Amino acid sequence: MSSAASLASSLLRREILDLHAYHVPDSTGYIKLDAMENPYSVPPALRGEIAEAVASAAINRYPDPAATSLKEQIRGVLGLPEGMEVLLGNGSDELIQLLAMALNKPGATLLGVEPSFVMYRMIATFTGMRYASVPLTTNSGAADFSLDLPATLAAIRREQPALIFLAYPNNPTGNLFPADAVVQIIEAAQGLVVVDEAYYAFASDSFIPRLARYPNLLVMRTFSKLGMAGLRLGFLTGDAAWLAQLEKLRLPYNVGILPQLVAGKLLAHHAVLLQQAEQIKRDRAGLYRQLSEIAGVRVYPSEANFLLFRVANAPEVFDGLKRRGVLIKNLHGGHPMLNGCLRVTVGTPDECAKFVAALQDTITQLA
Ligand code: PMP
């Protein structure tokens, strides 16, 4: 071992040494359906306007640390209820980290359900916070990924979590947990419940209108799935009493001047982004139908911009798709309930057609 490696392994926290970094595969040259991005680029009519704004941006100066105008715009465009504050993050990943740092009193627990977004567990590990989880349910041996409400309520009583994350809809399963079950969790929890609405643009419900009812509820959203993954912009919204405290942990210039400017331009054309989301929802329905007609494929219902599906030999199917130029996400091996599972982002109609053809071809060849 080199002297730097031995020094690092003696100085670093055990849980960091044991951690695997979040893996992002090289997607160069592939039809990229692995990361729940919006497949549509910036509308041509907007490009000139964005280029002009970027060209005259004061990038020699620090950005507005309060991002006042962008926050006002978010409040207006998304119709946030009166009195609800906004805290911006460099992606919602950063906000998960900020919440864990803020609530990690000695012995405090972060509770999640599993399988869900892996960063909840990873960030609990980074921040040295205790992590507990409740499995989603299985139905006749095969996972259907619904919320196990009795087990979740029992875990809340047992673990007394300071912080609970619920992805609504859930990633990587795509389903939207029943609102009344989420309400029961919020009502039973002594700690803070964060409803993570990363996929809100593709879903039929939101907890934002319910914010005022629950003092222990915050809603988190991201613009990553709405065409701005490259900007890194997410936000938390909820009562000012929470957000004023959390604001103290936000690094002063966490959202750069270019993301602030470009997101402002895009949000001024929010209707265009919503039209793209509507297109993706229509294409999701078509893709769901097509996948459900392929023998050997079990596809799960989704209110997000991706579909989870199960096949007999997921790693081989994943490799076969890659060889045919299509990159999706292999979830096999990540969690026992996800064995045999693959996740595909809803791309453009052309990308979806190429994916389906490659999948049919791969499955036929493997049979
Ligand atoms: N929450 C959920 C449920 C997600 O799936 C993701 C991204 N995959 C995020 C949060 C993080 O999004 P970002 O950091 O891009 O805002």
Side-chain angles (χ1 to χ4, degrees):
M1 210 191 277
S2 73
S3 52
S6 84
L7 192 59
S9 73
S10 72
L11 288 176
L12 285 166
R13 284 157 47 201
R14 183 77 251 159
E15 58 271 31
I16 304 300
L17 291 168
D18 291 344
L19 204 64
H20 294 286
Y22 188 87
H23 174 62
V24 180
D26 181 9
S27 58
T28 318
Y30 290 101
I31 294 175
K32 190 176 186 313
L33 301 176
D34 65 328
M36 286 84 85
E37 293 142 335
N38 175 335
Y40 302 104
S41 52
V42 173
L46 253 175
R47 287 186 189 182
E49 204 184 313
I50 288 175
E52 223 167 89
V54 168
S56 55
I59 49 180
N60 55 319
R61 304 288 177 196
Y62 283 108
D64 171 6
T68 316
S69 76
L70 180 57
K71 288 206 300 202
E72 267 316 306
Q73 201 184 1
I74 289 174
R75 260 200 215 97
V77 167
L78 299 185
L80 300 185
E82 241 350 85
M84 293 303 148
E85 266 303 321
V86 171
L87 190 158
L88 295 182
N90 192 285
S92 44
D93 284 343
E94 187 187 43
L95 296 169
I96 302 170
Q97 177 170 293
L98 187 149
L99 285 158
M101 286 192 296
L103 286 136
N104 188 13
K105 285 186 181 177
T109 297
L110 186 158
L111 182 82
V113 295
E114 286 206 2
S116 187
F117 185 39
V118 292
M119 289 309 285
Y120 306 145
R121 179 198 278 270
M122 274 189 85
I123 285 173
T125 308
F126 296 160
T127 54
M129 191 165 188
R130 193 175 161 268
Y131 175 80
S133 68
V134 184
L136 296 175
T137 54
T138 54
N139 205 351
S140 59
D144 70 354
F145 307 116
S146 48
L147 200 59
D148 186 342
L149 187 60
T152 309
L153 295 176
I156 289 171
R157 280 191 299 274
R158 189 178 64 244
E159 309 287 348
Q160 296 286 306
L163 179 58
I164 301 176
F165 279 103
L166 288 173
Y168 188 79
N170 192 36
N171 170 23
T173 58
N175 53 327
L176 191 72
F177 301 136
D180 63 331
V182 176
V183 163
Q184 287 190 57
I185 290 171
I186 297 166
E187 287 176 346
Q190 310 277 307
L192 176 66
V193 180
V194 177
V195 174
D196 178 352
E197 297 188 351
Y199 301 95
Y200 74 96
F202 315 99
S204 58
D205 190 40
S206 164
F207 269 73
I208 285 183
R210 301 174 176 101
L211 273 171
R213 240 178 283 162
Y214 304 106
N216 63 334
L217 172 66
L218 296 179
V219 171
M220 186 170 73
R221 285 187 172 185
T222 175
F223 292 117
S224 291
K225 323 297 172 182
L226 201 67
M228 301 183 222
L231 293 183
R232 308 303 298 129
L233 189 66
F235 70 91
L236 263 178
T237 184
D239 196 289
W242 276 109
L243 295 202
Q245 294 298 329
L246 295 170
E247 186 66 30
K248 298 176 187 169
L249 275 93
R250 187 181 63 78
L251 297 177
Y253 305 112
N254 65 330
V255 181
I257 189 166
L258 297 184
Q260 288 191 36
L261 260 175
V262 179
K265 294 287 171 207
L266 285 166
L267 287 175
H269 299 268
H270 190 234
V272 178
L273 304 176
L274 289 184
Q275 278 161 21
Q276 293 176 346
E278 286 307 313
Q279 174 75 42
I280 290 166
K281 282 160 70 179
R282 283 194 294 276
D283 295 336
R284 175 182 70 198
L287 187 58
Y288 180 89
R289 242 189 340 270
Q290 284 179 294
L291 290 184
S292 57
E293 283 163 6
I294 302 177
V297 172
R298 175 173 179 198
V299 59
Y300 292 89
S302 168
E303 292 216 21
N305 62 343
F306 60 84
L307 291 172
L308 181 79
F309 63 101
R310 196 184 290 271
V311 289
N313 33 10
E316 290 82 358
V317 171
F318 174 77
D319 288 341
L321 286 167
K322 245 182 121 174
R323 276 197 302 279
R324 289 163 179 82
V326 183
L327 183 67
I328 63 168
K329 176 85 174 176
N330 180 13
L331 296 161
H332 181 87
H335 185 279
M337 282 169 90
L338 294 172
N339 278 350
C341 285
L342 300 169
R343 185 190 66 199
V344 62
T345 307
V346 180
T348 63
D350 180 54
E351 288 172 332
C352 290
K354 287 184 171 135
F355 157 70
V356 170
L359 181 65
Q360 275 168 330
D361 195 32
T362 303
I363 288 179
T364 308
Q365 203 191 29
L366 288 171

